[in-house]
């Protein structure tokens, strides 16, 4: 796997590079601003871009804008965004494109090496990896939407799907059978009108519907 990193904090950038290297993941470019991110993405055509939301010069949303621009420049580019805080508007904008290969993690999650590396691999593979705190805040918006048709258990299953958990991991978390999880996911697909597509693609679409509520 080949990765481009955009992070202005030198120590965090170096730490992420080291973590990835230990997993034989190559960092082909490491930059500290949005403009250089776009240039690096166009030059290297990486498998994943890891991007800080806030970067120079104003430390507001330069990283997010650059991430969105990178996905336009390289269609389908997986992007994993790191943020110091839960910034709902940024998360919604990133996730609203309707495609997989997106992640939004709080920087504190990087300290959990296993979870961080799992997120890197899921997003690079076209899946999603959304911080539980981001999910909680998006759910708190409470706007009427198709998800209102889901049962409490189905919503719980979909929430775990949004975190990137496999069916087996969901079953273990909820202490239910693998078959029960598959049944809940089938009901979720049906209630959200996600038909006639591959299971994995429908899974991503369901998660994006969940996060865009």
């Amino acid at each position: 796997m080949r990765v481009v990193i955009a992070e202005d904090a030198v120590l965090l950038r170096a730490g992420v590079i080291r973590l990835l290297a230990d997993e034989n993941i190559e960092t082909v470019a490491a930059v500290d601003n949005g403009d250089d991110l776009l240039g690096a993405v166009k030059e290297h055509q990486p498998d994943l871009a890891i991007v800080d939301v806030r970067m120079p010069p104003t430390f507001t949303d330069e990283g997010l804008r650059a991430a969105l621009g990178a996905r336009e420049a390289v269609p389908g580019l997986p992007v994993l965004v790191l943020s110091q805080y839960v910034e709902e508007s940024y998360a919604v904008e990133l996730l609203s494109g309707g495609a997989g290969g997106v992640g939004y993690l709080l920087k504190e999650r990087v300290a959990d090496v296993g979870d961080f590396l799992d997120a890197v691999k899921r997003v690079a593979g076209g899946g999603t990896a959304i911080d539980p705190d981001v999910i909680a805040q998006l759910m708190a918006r409470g706007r009427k939407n198709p998800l209102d048709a889901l049962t409490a258990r189905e919503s719980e299953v979909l929430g775990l799907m949004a975190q990137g958990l496999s069916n087996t991991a969901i079953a273990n978390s909820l202490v239910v059978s693998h078959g029960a999880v598959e049944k809940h996911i089938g009901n979720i697909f049906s209630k959200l009108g996600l038909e006639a597509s591959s299971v994995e693609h429908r899974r991503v679409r369901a998660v994006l519907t969940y996060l865009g509520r």
Side-chain angles (χ1 to χ4, degrees):
M1 186 192 307
R2 301 166 65 253
V3 174
V4 166
I5 298 172
E7 168 60 62
D8 68 289
V10 176
L11 290 179
L12 179 57
R13 186 169 69 237
V16 170
I17 292 172
R18 178 61 183 272
L19 289 177
L20 297 178
D22 288 345
E23 293 292 308
N24 295 316
I25 298 173
E26 180 185 5
T27 299
V28 295
V31 301
D32 62 2
N33 64 82
D35 289 341
D36 285 350
L37 168 65
L38 289 175
V41 164
K42 292 176 182 178
E43 177 182 355
H44 296 285
Q45 302 283 308
D47 300 304
L48 174 70
I50 300 176
V51 185
D52 186 2
V53 167
R54 297 185 174 187
M55 290 193 293
T58 67
F59 295 95
T60 55
D61 62 355
E62 285 88 354
L64 176 75
R65 299 300 168 192
L68 295 172
R71 282 174 72 89
E72 290 180 2
V74 181
L77 172 70
V79 174
L80 175 58
V81 168
L82 303 179
S83 180
Q84 189 69 39
Y85 309 102
V86 178
E87 300 176 270
E88 181 181 326
S89 61
Y90 296 159
V92 170
E93 187 164 0
L94 177 68
L95 297 165
S96 64
V102 293
Y104 190 107
L105 296 181
L106 296 183
K107 287 186 175 181
E108 64 189 48
R109 304 295 176 192
V110 179
D112 190 323
V113 175
D115 285 351
F116 174 68
L117 292 174
D118 284 346
V120 165
K121 294 171 184 176
R122 281 202 307 273
V123 174
T128 58
I130 313 301
D131 196 286
D133 288 347
V134 175
I135 292 173
Q137 185 154 323
L138 292 175
M139 286 195 66
R141 293 163 65 183
R143 195 172 58 194
K144 184 173 179 58
N145 61 85
L147 299 178
D148 292 342
L150 302 183
T151 66
R153 177 63 88 182
E154 289 162 358
S155 294
E156 192 173 13
V157 168
L158 185 50
L160 294 173
M161 287 168 60
Q163 293 181 40
L165 272 65
S166 66
N167 287 9
T168 299
I170 292 173
N172 292 338
S173 176
L174 299 179
V175 195
V176 298
S177 69
H178 192 275
V181 171
E182 290 184 338
K183 181 178 179 180
H184 288 313
I185 292 176
N187 290 339
I188 290 167
F189 290 160
S190 178
K191 291 180 180 181
L192 297 183
L194 303 177
E195 304 295 343
S197 183
S198 71
V199 171
E200 286 305 313
H201 185 54
R202 285 195 295 174
R203 195 181 186 95
V204 171
R205 290 167 59 199
V207 167
L208 292 174
T209 298
Y210 177 79
L211 296 170
R213 57 182 285 143

